[in-house]
């Protein structure tokens, strides 16, 4: 079936190092991908998105890479900080034009722990 | 703050109780959602409303009843719940087809 999943349930990194969180998706028709961050006791927070006509998109300290050939998505966090500790989710969507809503499909999440 | 608020933040109820969860957004979004988040599971989409009309019911038991009186408010009415319904219930809103903005959630415990 169609699903979005993450390779690792947990990731531990040293403060200051770069973090890479991976995600695999199975629906080749998906054309919009989002990374969310969820801190303890809070709802998911949008980090960055990318459309399927792009391979890479950069934000502040974060970069998302999309490899459509192998249906792989990754989130890179530069100079990881303790405040980056959270669960990270990828989500996919099929954008619709002219009316109906394309619903997000979420993966299970990767818990990132940052060691001081 | 994402602009989506949820009340209450915590709720404990017995299996025979009736309660309601409330979600509010003033972002001008046309779509609103209810999700269930259980431990070690992906976010489960429950209901979708577009322009106040329910467009998706993801095989949710009838003991959960959504209501969307206007494009800014969304309710989830709960009755005769089971202990396995204990979870974090998240509300989200979005412009059609783009990223969703989530509220902080309601932590529900069913005794």
């Amino acid at each position: 079936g169609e699903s979005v999943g993450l390779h690792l349930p947990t990731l531990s990194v040293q403060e200051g190092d770069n973090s890479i969180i991976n995600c695999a998706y199975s629906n080749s028709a998906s054309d919009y991908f989002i990374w969310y961050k969820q801190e303890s006791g809070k709802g998911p927070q949008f980090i960055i998105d990318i459309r399927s006509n792009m391979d890479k998109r950069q934000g502040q300290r974060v970069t998302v890479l999309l490899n459509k050939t192998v249906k792989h998505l990754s989130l890179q966090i530069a100079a990881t900080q303790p405040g980056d500790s959270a669960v990270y989710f990828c989500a996919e969507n099929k954008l619709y034009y002219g009316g109906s809503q394309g619903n997000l499909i979420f993966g299970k999440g990767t818990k990132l722990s940052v060691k001081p | 703050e994402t602009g989506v608020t949820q009340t209450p933040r915590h709720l404990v109820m017995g299996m025979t109780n009736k309660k309601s969860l409330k979600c509010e957004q003033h972002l001008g979004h046309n779509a609103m959602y209810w999700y269930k988040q259980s431990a070690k599971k992906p976010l489960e989409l429950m209901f979708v409303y577009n322009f106040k009309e329910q467009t998706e019911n993801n095989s949710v038991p009838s003991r959960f009843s959504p209501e969307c009186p206007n494009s800014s408010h969304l309710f989830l009415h709960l009755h005769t719940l089971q202990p396995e319904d204990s979870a974090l219930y998240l509300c989200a809103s979005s412009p059609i087809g783009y990223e969703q903005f989530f509220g902080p959630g309601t932590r529900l415990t069913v005794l």
Side-chain angles (χ1 to χ4, degrees):
Chain A
E2 298 173 355
S3 65
V4 178
L6 289 157
H7 293 306
L8 292 173
T10 61
L11 176 65
S12 183
V13 300
Q14 203 71 39
E15 181 178 358
D17 287 351
N18 296 333
S19 303
I20 300 176
I21 301 172
N22 296 307
C23 180
Y25 64 95
S26 59
N27 185 0
S28 56
S30 293
D31 52 12
Y32 181 57
F33 304 88
I34 306 173
W35 280 101
Y36 283 93
K37 171 186 180 183
Q38 186 174 20
E39 297 174 273
S40 180
K42 297 183 179 180
Q45 179 182 6
F46 171 86
I47 302 174
I48 193 169
D49 59 1
I50 188 169
R51 296 194 182 213
S52 60
N53 61 352
M54 303 172 68
D55 297 321
K56 179 180 180 179
R57 190 168 187 214
Q58 287 184 293
Q60 186 177 14
R61 281 202 307 119
V62 295
T63 301
V64 56
L65 298 177
L66 176 62
N67 185 331
K68 295 179 288 294
T69 302
V70 294
K71 290 185 281 190
H72 183 268
L73 190 70
S74 69
L75 177 71
Q76 300 178 0
I77 305 173
T80 313
Q81 302 169 1
D84 295 326
S85 294
V87 177
Y88 290 82
F89 297 93
C90 62
E92 64 176 314
N93 196 355
K94 177 72 177 78
L95 289 173
Y96 291 86
Y97 301 95
S100 61
Q101 172 70 39
N103 296 322
L104 290 174
I105 300 172
F106 286 85
K108 291 184 179 180
T110 292
K111 183 176 181 180
L112 175 65
S113 299
V114 181
K115 296 177 288 186
Chain B
E1 294 296 329
T2 62
V4 180
T5 59
Q6 289 187 244
T7 54
R9 293 294 309 276
H10 300 273
L11 178 62
V12 179
M13 59 187 290
M15 290 190 286
T16 58
N17 292 158
K18 290 185 180 182
K19 296 287 184 183
S20 295
L21 309 184
K22 180 182 177 182
C23 176
E24 188 170 352
Q25 61 93 8
H26 294 288
L27 301 169
H29 293 165
N30 296 315
M32 296 188 77
Y33 313 78
W34 279 117
Y35 286 89
K36 176 183 178 182
Q37 187 175 38
S38 304
K40 300 182 180 179
K41 285 187 178 180
L43 280 164
E44 299 174 63
L45 180 65
M46 300 175 71
F47 301 103
V48 181
Y49 279 81
N50 288 320
F51 297 98
K52 301 186 298 179
E53 298 296 321
Q54 184 175 315
T55 57
E56 184 147 349
N57 176 338
N58 202 19
S59 301
V60 181
S62 60
R63 57 186 183 270
F64 295 91
S65 175
E67 179 190 2
C68 189
N70 56 62
S71 59
S72 298
H73 295 86
L74 185 65
F75 294 90
L76 187 62
H77 303 299
L78 316 172
H79 63 99
T80 59
L81 294 191
Q82 304 298 312
E84 60 265 28
D85 296 322
S86 298
L88 182 68
Y89 288 84
L90 290 160
C91 173
S93 71
S94 76
I96 296 294
Y98 294 91
E99 77 269 16
Q100 295 173 19
F101 293 78
F102 285 83
T106 294
R107 174 67 63 185
L108 174 67
T109 303
V110 182
L111 301 176

